[in-house]
Amino acid sequence: MDPAETARQRLISGRAWDDFCDTLKVAGRHIESFASPLSDLDRAEWYRFMSRLARSSMERLIENAEPTRPRLRDMVWRQSINVQTVDQDHLMCQFDEARDYVITGTRGTIPYFVMALCTCPAPDLPGAQDWAAQGVAGLERFDPSNLKTTGFLHSRQIRFEDDGSFEVVLSQNDPGEGRNWLRLAPETNCILIRLVWSDRSSERAPVMTIARTDNAPPEPVNPALIADNLAWTAQAVLGYAELVRNWWEGTQGNFSDRLNRLDYSRAQYLSNGGVPDRHVAFGGWEKGLDEALVLEFTPPPCEYWNFQLCNVWQENLDTFEDGNGWISNYRHKAEPDGRVRVVIAERDLGIGGNWIDSYGHERGIWGLRFVLTEVTAPVALWRLPLAVLEAKGLGALDPQTAIATGQFVD
C-alpha cells in the first residue's frame, strides 16, 4: 500500500492517535531508566516537564506545521528546553521539505539575533507506521530533538535598509548578489531564530514573517498530514526525555559522574541546534541544602554572556520568573578587578556577589555562554557549608582550595 494511504488510514481508524498517546506514555515512564538518585522535587518537575514538552511540541509540530501556512512562532511561555537562555526568545518554523522561502521584517532595537537552519533524523512519512513499540530505539531514525545546525546568519551579517527593514531568502540556489541568503539543504527540517535581549522593558523585538516564494494558497489539513504531525509531536517528547537522560548520565554528557564542573564542548553544544558564533560550557552541579556553591570568573569581551542555573531536566528554575536564577552582562555585580562572583545557596548569605537561589534543588545542570567571542573564561569553584560562609565570609574562599574548571573537552 502507498505510504501516504497507510498514513491516512491510520489517522481515520484512530491508530495514529493511539500510537501518539502510547508514545507519550513511553516518554513519561522514561524516568524509570535513570540510575542516579532523584528527589521528590526532581520527580515532580519531571512530570511537569513532560506536560511542557507536550504543549510546546503540539504548538510547533501540529498547530504550526501546515506546509502552505508557514509561520514563525515563539516557544510557549515557561518552556525552557536545553538550558534555554532567559534573555533569548526562540522563533521556530517547521518545514516538511526544503522549499524556497523568504523572511521579511524590521530590525527592532535588540542588540543581536541569529537565524539557524536545522535538520534532524526523520522519515518521509512518519505517520505511516507505529513508533511507541520501538521506544527509544526508534529515535535513531526519527528524533525531532536531535537538531543539527546546517547554516546560520546573524544580524551583523544581514544587510538592512535605511528604515531597518530586511529580507532573507531561504533557498537551495543562490538568489543573486547583494541579497541576504541562507542556503537550505534538501533535508532541512526547520529554522530557529534566537532573539537576544538586553532590557526587555526598553527594547523592541524584530518583526518577522515567513512565506513560501511560490505563493501557494493555503490548503486544508488532511488525514495523512495529521498522522505525520502526531508522530512528530510524540517523538519530540520522547526525544527530549532521552536527551536529558543522556546528558545527565549517558554518553552525551554523563554530568552525574562529573559534578561541579563546567566543560566547553563545541560538539555537545552544536549537537542540539547550537550555532558556532559562541562558546558554551555545560555541567552538572550538586550541593546539600545546607551548602553553597561559589563560582568566580572574568568574562571576556563579547556581544553577550550569561550564567544560569537549571534543574536536572535542563529547565530554568522557577526563580527566573522572580528575577533570580541567572545573570548576564546586562544584569550582574562585578568586583573592581572585573571578576564576577556567583553564590548558589538556599538563602542570601550577605557576602556580596550575585546570589542565585537554588530553590530547594540539590542538583541540576548549569551553563555559561559567551556570544561572539573567540575567548572563554576559566572558573574557580568552591563547595562550602553555609555555616562556614556565614562565619568567615569571603575569607572562606581560599584560592588554594578552589576547584579549577572551565576546560575544553572533545
Side-chain angles (χ1 to χ4, degrees), residues 7 13 177 253 276 309 314 344 346:
S13 69
E177 186 176 353
L309 195 70
Q314 304 177 23
I344 301 169
E346 285 293 292

Side-chain angles (χ1 to χ4, degrees), residues 165-186:
S165 63
F166 70 95
E167 178 183 276
V168 176
V169 177
L170 284 61
S171 63
Q172 295 186 58
N173 298 314
D174 191 339
E177 186 176 353
R179 302 190 71 182
N180 300 309
W181 179 40
L182 260 174
R183 184 173 186 172
L184 291 175

Side-chain angles (χ1 to χ4, degrees), residues 87-113:
D87 289 321
Q88 291 186 10
D89 292 335
H90 289 177
L91 305 179
M92 298 193 76
C93 180
Q94 194 73 16
F95 304 148
D96 67 326
E97 59 182 68
R99 298 185 177 91
D100 290 355
Y101 299 84
V102 61
I103 293 175
T104 56
T106 55
R107 173 69 178 83
T109 61
I110 64 171
Y112 181 76
F113 67 84

Side-chain angles (χ1 to χ4, degrees), residues 22-265:
D22 289 343
T23 304
L24 294 184
K25 291 179 181 179
V26 172
R29 288 297 186 182
H30 199 49
I31 192 173
E32 298 168 1
S33 67
F34 281 75
S36 305
L38 298 172
S39 68
D40 287 355
L41 176 57
D42 294 330
R43 292 178 181 276
E45 290 183 333
W46 168 266
Y47 291 108
R48 184 186 62 181
F49 178 50
M50 290 294 101
S51 72
R52 288 176 170 179
L53 287 174
R55 177 170 51 123
S56 175
S57 299
M58 288 178 189
E59 175 75 12
R60 180 165 67 94
L61 299 169
I62 297 178
E63 189 64 30
N64 291 298
E66 300 171 66
T68 56
R69 292 183 186 269
R71 307 181 186 98
L72 288 168
R73 288 291 184 265
D74 193 5
M75 300 292 284
V76 296
W77 183 69
R78 294 184 75 176
Q79 177 63 75
S80 55
I81 296 174
N82 293 147
V83 197
Q84 180 178 326
T85 304
V86 72
D87 289 321
Q88 291 186 10
D89 292 335
H90 289 177
L91 305 179
M92 298 193 76
C93 180
Q94 194 73 16
F95 304 148
D96 67 326
E97 59 182 68
R99 298 185 177 91
D100 290 355
Y101 299 84
V102 61
I103 293 175
T104 56
T106 55
R107 173 69 178 83
T109 61
I110 64 171
Y112 181 76
F113 67 84
V114 60
M115 301 177 173
L117 297 175
C118 301
T119 185
C120 68
D124 290 336
L125 289 167
Q129 59 183 292
D130 291 334
W131 294 97
Q134 300 181 48
V136 172
L139 295 174
E140 184 174 346
R141 296 173 47 239
F142 187 19
D143 186 359
S145 75
N146 187 12
L147 296 175
K148 300 292 191 299
T149 299
T150 60
F152 76 100
L153 186 69
H154 59 68
S155 52
R156 292 188 180 181
Q157 299 170 316
I158 293 175
R159 182 179 62 82
F160 296 93
E161 301 300 328
D162 292 341
D163 62 358
S165 63
F166 70 95
E167 178 183 276
V168 176
V169 177
L170 284 61
S171 63
Q172 295 186 58
N173 298 314
D174 191 339
E177 186 176 353
R179 302 190 71 182
N180 300 309
W181 179 40
L182 260 174
R183 184 173 186 172
L184 291 175
E187 66 275 11
T188 300
N189 298 124
C190 73
I191 184 169
L192 170 59
I193 304 175
R194 294 172 171 87
L195 310 179
V196 182
W197 297 80
S198 61
D199 181 1
R200 291 180 183 269
S201 66
S202 63
E203 294 171 338
R204 288 183 291 107
V207 177
M208 304 185 197
T209 59
I210 187 169
R212 285 172 47 161
T213 58
D214 62 3
N215 296 313
E219 297 176 357
V221 300
N222 59 71
L225 173 65
I226 297 303
D228 285 345
N229 290 355
L230 286 171
W232 272 93
T233 299
Q235 286 294 106
V237 177
L238 179 59
Y240 282 110
E242 168 57 12
L243 184 150
V244 297
R245 188 209 63 82
N246 207 350
W247 276 42
W248 187 248
E249 60 184 29
T251 57
Q252 197 170 356
N254 198 23
F255 293 145
S256 63
D257 275 353
R258 297 180 291 121
L259 292 166
N260 294 339
R261 57 184 277 173
L262 283 157
D263 294 324
Y264 296 102
S265 171

